[in-house]
C-alpha cells in the first residue's frame, strides 16, 4: 500500500527558528575603562545592536569584591565585524546595600547635582552622606552646599574618564568626607548613582609647535643635499 504524506492545511504557518539567522556580537567597554569583554548580544543585523545597554558590576571590571554592589551601564555606539563598542552612560548602587547603611540616630543627607566635565560631558550625580550622630537642620544645609561645591569643582577640573574614575573608585567620596567632617562628624559617603545627560568630545593633545631650531636644522639639511648634488 502506498504511503500518503500529510498535507498542511491552508493558512497554517510553519514556525521558523529565527535564532539560526542571528549572529552573536561581543560587547566591550571603552578603552578608557580597559576595553574588557563584558557580554554578548544576538541580532539579525548589526544596526539592531546600536543603542542596546549592557550591565556589569564594578567588581567584574576591577576584581575588587568590595565593589559588588555597584552596577555600571554601557550603551553600544558602534559595531565592527562581530565586536561592539560602548559608551559609559551611568551607574547605580543596589538598594539592599544602601538600606544596610541606614542606622537610627544618624542623619542621611543626599544631593542631586548636574555637572559638566572639562571635555564637555554633562552628568547628573547623586551622592549621600551619613553622619555619625543626628545632625541639626543648619548642619544639613551646610553639608549639602559643601557636597555640591566639591562635586562641581572636581568635574570642571577633570576629563570625563578621570571624573568617572574618581566617582566610582572613591576619590570623590573621600574628598567629600574630608571636607564635610570639618562641619559635622561623618560616618560614610556614597556616590550612589550617576547618569550621562550629554556626551562631549575627548580632549585632544595640542600639536607640537615647530621651533626655530628645528626649522634651521631642516634648512641646513636642504643646503647640504644641494651641495652634494652639485
Amino acid at each position: 500500500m502506498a504511503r500518503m504524506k500529510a498535507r498542511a492545511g491552508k493558512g497554517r504557518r510553519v514556525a521558523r527558528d529565527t535564532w539560526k539567522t542571528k549572529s552573536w556580537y561581543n560587547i566591550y567597554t571603552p578603552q578608557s575603562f580597559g576595553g574588557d569583554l563584558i557580554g554578548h548580544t544576538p541580532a539579525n543585523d548589526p544596526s539592531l545592536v546600536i543603542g542596546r545597554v549592557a550591565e556589569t558590576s564594578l567588581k567584574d571590571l576591577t576584581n575588587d569584591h568590595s565593589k559588588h554592589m555597584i552596577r555600571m551601564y554601557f550603551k553600544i555606539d558602534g559595531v565592527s565585524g562581530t565586536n561592539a563598542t560602548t559608551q559609559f552612560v551611568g551607574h547605580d548602587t543596589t538598594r539592599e546595600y544602601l538600606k544596610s547603611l541606614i542606622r537610627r540616630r544618624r542623619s542621611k543627607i543626599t544631593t542631586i547635582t548636574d555637572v559638566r566635565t572639562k571635555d564637555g560631558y554633562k552628568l547628573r550625580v547623586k551622592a549621600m552622606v551619613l553622619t555619625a550622630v543626628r545632625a541639626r537642620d543648619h548642619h544639613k544645609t551646610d553639608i549639602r552646599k559643601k557636597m555640591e561645591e566639591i562635586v562641581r569643582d572636581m568635574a570642571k577640573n577633570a576629563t570625563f574618564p578621570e571624573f568617572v574614575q574618581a566617582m566610582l573608585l572613591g576619590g570623590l567620596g573621600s574628598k567629600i568626607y574630608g571636607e564635610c567632617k570639618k562641619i559635622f562628624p561623618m560616618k560614610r559617603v556614597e556616590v550612589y548613582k550617576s547618569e550621562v545627560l550629554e556626551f562631549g568630545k575627548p580632549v585632544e593633545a595640542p600639536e607640537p609647535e615647530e621651533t626655530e631650531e628645528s626649522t634651521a636644522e631642516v634648512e641646513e639639511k636642504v643646503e647640504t643635499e644641494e651641495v652634494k648634488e652639485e
Side-chain angles (χ1 to χ4, degrees):
M1 180 182 293
R3 294 183 181 179
M4 298 180 64
K5 294 182 179 179
R7 297 177 61 186
K10 291 184 179 180
R12 181 181 295 178
R13 294 182 180 179
V14 179
R16 296 179 57 191
D17 187 359
T18 58
W19 283 99
K20 292 182 179 180
T21 63
K22 295 185 178 186
S23 299
W24 285 90
Y25 295 86
N26 305 314
I27 306 174
Y28 292 91
T29 63
Q31 289 302 318
S32 56
F33 289 84
D36 296 325
L37 177 67
I38 57 173
H40 311 274
T41 186
N44 292 322
D45 188 89
S47 61
L48 300 177
V49 177
I50 305 296
R52 293 183 184 179
V53 177
E55 174 188 333
T56 188
S57 70
L58 185 56
K59 180 199 77 171
D60 292 335
L61 291 184
T62 62
N63 292 321
D64 184 351
H65 290 276
S66 67
K67 304 294 184 182
H68 68 278
M69 65 288 188
I70 300 176
R71 299 173 297 198
M72 303 173 65
Y73 301 96
F74 296 90
K75 187 175 183 179
I76 298 175
D77 63 351
V79 177
S80 177
T82 57
N83 295 330
T85 58
T86 60
Q87 298 175 309
F88 174 80
V89 292
H91 87 283
D92 63 16
T93 307
T94 59
R95 185 174 298 180
E96 294 76 14
Y97 173 74
L98 294 177
K99 283 184 176 180
S100 70
L101 300 177
I102 307 301
R103 296 288 186 274
R104 296 179 63 182
R105 293 183 291 276
R106 293 179 185 172
S107 295
K108 181 180 75 172
I109 305 165
T110 60
T111 58
I112 301 176
T113 313
D114 289 353
V115 299
R116 192 176 292 276
T117 61
K118 69 180 183 181
D119 48 356
Y121 287 78
K122 185 177 181 181
L123 299 91
R124 178 163 293 158
V125 180
K126 298 182 180 182
M128 176 180 73
V129 157
L130 296 173
T131 60
V133 294
R134 188 170 296 167
R136 296 181 179 273
D137 288 343
H138 70 277
H139 289 136
K140 294 180 181 178
T141 299
D142 293 343
I143 291 170
R144 190 173 288 110
K145 288 180 179 179
K146 178 58 68 173
M147 290 171 67
E148 293 175 350
E149 177 187 330
I150 292 169
V151 174
R152 288 196 178 97
D153 287 347
M154 184 168 284
K156 74 179 182 180
N157 293 315
T159 62
F160 177 66
E162 291 170 346
F163 181 72
V164 172
Q165 181 177 358
M167 184 172 59
L168 296 177
L169 300 183
L172 178 57
S174 297
K175 181 69 174 177
I176 293 173
Y177 185 92
E179 292 297 321
C180 289
K181 73 177 183 181
K182 300 174 183 177
I183 301 172
F184 198 81
M186 294 285 107
K187 184 65 178 180
R188 194 172 185 88
V189 177
E190 293 288 342
V191 182
Y192 65 92
K193 190 172 184 179
S194 69
E195 179 185 359
V196 178
L197 304 178
E198 295 178 15
F199 292 96
K201 295 181 179 180
V203 176
E204 296 181 357
E207 295 182 359
E209 297 181 359
E210 188 181 57
T211 61
E212 293 182 359
E213 183 179 356
S214 61
T215 304
E217 290 176 353
V218 172
E219 292 177 351
E220 182 180 352
K221 184 177 180 181
V222 172
E223 291 176 357
T224 304
E225 289 178 353
E226 289 177 352
V227 171
K228 288 182 179 179
E229 291 177 358
E230 293 178 357

